[in-house]
Amino acid sequence: MDAATRRARAAEIVGSLPLEDKIALVSGRDMWHLQPIGSAEIPPLMLTDGPHGIRKASGEGPGVDLAASEPATCFPPAATLASSWDPALAEEVGGAIGAEARALGVSVVLGPGLNLKRHPACGRNFEYFSEDPLIAGKMAAGLVRGIQSLGVGACLKHFALNNQEHERMTTDVVVDERTAHELYLRGFEIAVRKSEPWTVMCAYNRVNGVYCSDSRWLLTGVLRELWGFKGLVMSDWGAVNDRLAGLRAGLDLEMPSSSGSNDPVIARAIERGELAEGDLDSAARRVVELQLRVMPARAESGSYDADEHHALARKVAAESTVLLTNDGTLPLDPSIDVAVIGAFARTPRYQGAGSSQIVPTRFESLWDALESRGIADGISYASGYSLPDSPVDEAALAEAVAAARQAAGVVLMVGLPEPYESEGFDRADLRLPEQHDRLVEAVRAANPRTVVVLSNGAPVEMPWADRPAAILESYLGGQASGAALADVLFGDAEPGGRLAETFPIAQSDLLSDRNFPGAPRQVQYRESLYVGYRQFVTTGEPVRFCFGHGLSYTTFELGEAVLSASAIDAGEQVTVSMPLRNSGDRPGSTVVQVYVRPLGENLHRPERELRAFEKVRLEAGSETVVEVELGPEAFSAWDVPSHCWQVVGGGYEVLVGFSSADIRSTARLMVRSNFGLCEGMRPPALIADDEMFARLLGRPVPEPEPVRPFTRNSTLGEVGETALGRRLQGVIRGAITKQFGGAGETSAVMERMLESVVTQMPLRSLVSMGGGRISWKTLDAIVEALNGRWLRALRGALRRG
């Protein structure tokens, strides 16, 4: 069924339904299903979490037990996959996820997530791709194309500017229009245009005072009218602020089911003329269009080869492993006596915690891989630390040092234990646990041939980085992480990854750190465009490891870049060509990165920005000519007065190299454009002061919303200041703990995540996520009581129903 036929059929179905059925369609049936349409023989189709695999809940209950889901391949999460810099590989992973979704009866996979990494301490960064929107957009587009090639819908999330977990359900992101479009919306724009996702999920937070679920500017003006999105927009689970405002804005589907709590609100608004029935019809039609689109795949079902998908997960993990330093120790000689130190070798972190957590079809640790190779018996082991919290342990430290002294070499596994990063909360700092830092220092002192392997979902501080013989950043490698790591350590596979994010020397070096996580109920993006490498290439400040960095087991020579033209007109593109040779003695891969630097200074922007890249694999001694295209978008900036992209004329330098700092060749280009720039603004400091931030915003800097008086959007943490609020917290804490079920081995991180859910939950969630137990009128009475207005609360309670 083509798009036009599907649209007409959906309109026909919606037109045949009574008002109450249309209203029911725009809310979920339960936690994971869409409403069925009996008259059209459409069953209750299923949506599940799944940025890096399928998390289909076991059973049909209302809970969200993160440990109780059907087994599926746990691929490396986005932070790891992005390090491959390979959209084709992402598409291959997407195809595998799509196949598993079909086999499990899942119609829409809730992923990928591609929020920009504004700050490395965001607790959910393992689920996102990069600090750069080009990588994020192209990698997400690859995943989407792969998933949807199997007839299963994908879902871009979380739209938009959800760049921290702290107060994510209520915080107001204050950002200027240009920064929003050039950084935080750009990845979504690329993914929408290049992959045509069937669904998009709106975020919890506010942007410039308006909840994403209520924002017509975001959901219709930007997404549909500017980018041409044709699919369905759903809410994140419990993200709906005002259902009527959402329908007007273009929010089609409320998830999960609000148990009918909003149905009478919608019906009454249509009856009174406060909501156009056409807005409801448009939303209902898009729901039905999605249902019609995924029906064929659901009807055909399917199967998948678990062994093949495990092998793919192993390949992806190796392709995404980043060799940060190496004095020649890697790859290891399998004949030498090696000590393996670190509890992660036997109990590794291979995925993040939260709603993306997968129950794997199988699992291989590094120790498992060593046993499979038949060499574990000759390798000594010391835990070095205990999990999950890794407290300081002098005995474990001494044991590790003794093992290191007796070995010819050491593989030392350190990183961030599970309680340190998760959905629901941000990291307090960028440091490793003290025990891990001390372990690196002590083991390296005992054995200079120490290879450090990092297991983490985001950058960490490494004050000892110049001491080990080699450092491998393996991130979170999925269910085959151990086998992939062994492949890389012993040279069976190339460490094919390059950093898709900057590793600063210290957290305090980050401009975004000045306003992270922000004031209560508000965060101001005063660093504007200067996030990640864009900051450091502009200021010239040193970093620990730069964006794009990664070594190889071979060597590459990059020749002079040649442009297909020395000058182009606005709207034209230019081809960049450069010879590349593998000058080493073994096959390998590298990433050719193309940055663009504006030579004029009439518009504030970073000193250089990534505009194209190409992953290249070459046999030893072979060479090729790499060609990439730079289109108009490479020379464009967002023009605030006209609210659109404009090609900025003038001179540019095209820089080609292997990282944001390792530039091997440059070429100059003139771009002709009649576009007249708005007033150029280069702040005297890259963190805008009040006056400059107001100029960037085009309005006075807003004050944070006061915590009192309490409203429907006050959080349980905020109302916990009152006696009634504390009692309410206790009731909800118990209910949510029961709903989430047992967490098994993840109990330590689950406890912290659930506490975050409780304290950050807005009161309106008691209605929308409460299973029909509390009405809006009852909630309003509770709010009055929390504000000490007991008489109003009593009157409201008496008017219930």
Side-chain angles (χ1 to χ4, degrees):
M1 188 183 299
D2 62 26
T5 304
R6 186 166 53 244
R7 182 184 178 91
R9 175 60 179 145
E12 179 185 0
I13 291 172
V14 171
S16 69
L17 298 175
L19 180 64
E20 59 268 27
D21 288 356
K22 291 192 292 186
I23 292 173
L25 269 181
V26 299
S27 179
R29 174 176 178 254
D30 51 34
M31 183 67 71
W32 303 113
H33 294 86
L34 302 182
Q35 293 282 2
I37 308 175
S39 60
E41 299 183 340
I42 295 177
L45 301 174
M46 188 175 197
L47 298 71
T48 68
D49 288 311
H52 61 278
I54 301 299
R55 191 181 71 79
K56 179 184 178 182
S58 301
E60 297 294 329
V64 287
D65 186 347
L66 301 184
S69 58
E70 300 293 328
T73 305
C74 179
F75 290 99
T80 312
L81 179 59
S83 299
S84 74
W85 288 58
D86 192 343
L89 185 62
E91 189 165 346
E92 190 176 353
V93 171
I97 291 174
E100 296 192 20
R102 283 184 66 160
L104 291 168
V106 172
S107 295
V108 178
V109 176
L110 301 176
L114 68 156
N115 293 100
L116 199 81
K117 297 183 180 182
R118 174 178 178 251
H119 194 292
C122 172
R124 206 171 181 178
N125 272 357
F126 58 81
E127 204 171 318
Y128 304 137
F129 292 104
S130 179
E131 67 189 30
D132 184 84
L134 180 65
I135 294 180
K138 294 187 75 169
M139 295 298 291
L143 270 173
V144 170
R145 287 192 299 267
I147 293 169
Q148 294 184 170
S149 70
L150 274 294
V152 174
C155 181
L156 297 182
K157 64 182 187 181
H158 308 87
F159 191 60
L161 288 106
N162 176 196
N163 309 113
Q164 64 187 54
E165 292 299 284
H166 178 72
E167 296 188 344
R168 63 174 173 161
M169 296 184 178
T170 52
T171 197
D172 182 15
V173 176
V174 181
V175 61
D176 67 276
E177 181 179 335
R178 184 176 165 216
T179 296
H181 278 276
E182 292 194 16
L183 287 188
Y184 298 98
L185 300 180
R186 180 61 179 149
F188 285 95
E189 179 180 5
I190 292 169
V192 166
R193 293 186 185 277
K194 290 188 176 293
S195 65
E196 299 182 358
W198 298 353
T199 71
V200 167
M201 179 190 291
C202 81
Y204 290 109
N205 52 280
R206 292 174 288 169
V207 177
N208 291 326
V210 181
Y211 279 95
C212 292
S213 64
D214 296 350
S215 177
R216 183 171 178 81
W217 166 75
L218 194 63
L219 305 184
T220 295
V222 172
L223 183 59
R224 291 194 167 101
E225 295 174 356
L226 187 62
W227 300 346
F229 175 68
K230 303 298 183 185
L232 172 142
V233 178
M234 71 179 76
S235 72
D236 201 344
W237 267 229
V240 173
N241 172 55
D242 179 330
R243 192 64 187 105
L244 300 181
L247 285 167
R248 297 187 195 103
L251 179 65
D252 304 311
L253 177 64
E254 174 189 34
M255 286 301 292
S257 169
S258 57
S259 303
S261 60
N262 281 322
D263 291 8
V265 176
I266 297 171
R268 188 162 53 247
I270 290 175
E271 180 184 347
R272 295 174 177 175
E274 298 167 355
L275 176 70
E277 190 168 354
D279 289 336
L280 172 64
D281 290 348
S282 294
R285 175 181 53 76
R286 292 188 189 108
V287 173
V288 177
E289 280 189 76
L290 175 65
Q291 292 172 312
L292 294 174
R293 197 166 198 172
V294 300
M295 279 288 289
R298 187 184 190 279
E300 295 174 11
S301 187
S303 61
Y304 68 95
D305 188 320
D307 291 339
E308 286 187 3
H309 287 191
H310 184 77
L312 176 59
R314 180 174 179 172
K315 171 188 171 183
V316 172
E319 287 277 354
S320 304
T321 299
V322 185
L323 181 59
L324 296 177
T325 67
N326 187 20
D327 67 359
T329 297
L330 290 179
L332 294 174
D333 180 346
S335 66
I336 69 169
D337 175 26
V338 174
V340 172
I341 297 174
F344 282 155
R346 290 182 169 174
T347 310
R349 278 200 69 210
Y350 59 94
Q351 64 176 324
S355 61
S356 67
Q357 195 163 307
I358 309 298
V359 173
T361 57
R362 70 185 72 174
F363 172 72
E364 286 181 280
S365 68
L366 175 61
W367 196 259
D368 294 332
L370 297 176
E371 289 183 328
S372 296
R373 288 170 174 260
I375 60 175
D377 289 343
I379 295 177
S380 59
Y381 168 79
S383 66
Y385 48 87
S386 60
L387 296 174
D389 296 320
S390 296
V392 172
D393 185 335
E394 297 294 347
L397 199 63
E399 180 189 25
V401 168
R405 284 176 176 155
Q406 295 171 8
V410 176
V411 174
L412 173 58
M413 298 193 67
V414 296
L416 294 175
E418 201 168 44
Y420 277 69
E421 54 180 352
S422 166
E423 178 181 352
F425 58 85
D426 296 318
R427 291 156 61 193
D429 53 57
L430 302 188
R431 295 190 296 273
L432 293 176
E434 181 182 351
Q435 179 75 2
H436 290 229
D437 278 332
R438 292 180 62 185
L439 190 64
V440 173
E441 297 279 12
V443 169
R444 164 58 183 82
N447 192 323
R449 297 193 69 189
T450 295
V451 175
V452 173
V453 180
L454 291 166
S455 299
N456 48 295
V460 294
E461 293 178 5
M462 289 180 267
W464 38 258
D466 59 342
R467 298 182 185 89
I471 304 174
L472 275 174
E473 173 57 90
S474 66
Y475 281 104
L476 307 177
Q479 69 179 48
S481 59
L485 178 56
D487 291 341
V488 171
L489 286 170
F490 292 106
D492 300 326
E494 170 83 1
R498 302 296 183 267
L499 293 179
E501 56 195 338
T502 302
F503 278 55
I505 294 174
Q507 178 175 339
S508 58
D509 295 339
L510 299 165
L511 292 175
S512 59
D513 195 55
R514 314 298 196 274
N515 293 281
F516 181 90
R521 304 186 72 83
Q522 185 193 78
V523 56
Q524 299 177 359
Y525 287 17
R526 289 183 178 240
E527 72 281 354
S528 64
L529 300 171
Y530 303 99
V531 171
Y533 77 90
R534 285 170 166 81
Q535 168 194 337
F536 293 103
V537 297
T538 302
T539 64
E541 298 170 272
V543 298
R544 183 67 67 194
F545 295 108
C546 66
F547 174 85
H549 171 70
L551 304 177
S552 173
Y553 286 161
T554 186
T555 54
F556 289 91
E557 295 176 358
L558 188 63
E560 289 297 316
V562 177
L563 305 183
S564 59
S566 59
I568 59 173
D569 291 324
E572 294 181 337
Q573 66 180 27
V574 64
T575 302
V576 187
S577 304
M578 45 264 160
L580 177 70
R581 178 172 176 266
N582 180 346
S583 53
D585 58 1
R586 57 177 289 156
S589 65
T590 191
V591 178
V592 177
Q593 303 167 37
V594 180
Y595 297 82
V596 169
R597 169 196 290 157
L599 297 178
E601 295 185 354
N602 50 356
L603 181 69
H604 89 86
R605 57 178 13 176
E607 192 270 348
R608 71 188 67 155
E609 295 179 277
L610 182 72
R611 293 305 192 215
F613 61 89
E614 189 73 25
K615 183 73 172 276
V616 185
R617 297 171 178 85
L618 289 175
E619 294 296 319
S622 64
E623 57 184 293
T624 188
V625 175
V626 180
E627 292 188 348
V628 299
E629 305 293 335
L630 295 179
E633 63 277 2
F635 311 104
S636 296
W638 183 262
D639 180 50
V640 174
S642 63
H643 305 295
C644 67
W645 291 101
Q646 297 282 6
V647 174
V648 181
Y652 288 88
E653 192 169 34
V654 177
L655 306 96
V656 182
F658 295 131
S659 76
S660 61
D662 184 7
I663 302 300
R664 301 297 179 91
S665 178
T666 64
R668 292 204 169 191
L669 176 72
M670 177 60 66
V671 177
R672 295 182 288 262
S673 173
N674 293 325
F675 167 61
L677 290 172
C678 61
E679 180 187 2
M681 292 181 294
R682 179 175 292 278
L686 297 185
I687 290 286
D689 59 18
D690 288 348
E691 179 183 358
M692 179 56 66
F693 196 44
R695 289 176 61 192
L696 291 171
L697 293 172
R699 66 184 190 281
V701 179
E703 292 292 329
E705 184 180 52
V707 171
R708 295 208 184 195
F710 299 129
T711 69
R712 289 181 176 184
N713 282 320
S714 297
T715 66
L716 284 169
E718 290 167 342
V719 303
E721 300 172 5
T722 68
L724 176 60
R726 286 189 291 275
R727 293 186 63 184
L728 192 60
Q729 269 190 12
V731 171
I732 300 305
R733 185 178 288 107
I736 289 179
T737 301
K738 181 179 179 181
Q739 184 185 43
F740 271 75
E745 295 180 1
T746 63
S747 58
V749 69
M750 183 62 68
E751 181 179 346
R752 186 174 176 190
M753 191 183 85
L754 293 183
E755 183 61 23
S756 173
V757 169
V758 170
T759 57
Q760 297 190 46
M761 176 185 289
L763 294 177
R764 57 177 156 80
S765 297
L766 303 182
V767 178
S768 62
M769 302 281 284
R773 298 178 184 85
I774 297 178
S775 69
W776 289 113
K777 287 184 178 179
T778 300
L779 177 62
D780 289 339
I782 292 172
V783 171
E784 294 288 9
L786 287 166
N787 284 315
R789 297 192 284 258
W790 291 95
L791 183 58
R792 290 187 186 181
L794 180 61
R795 289 171 180 166
L798 293 174
R799 288 198 299 266
R800 285 181 58 187

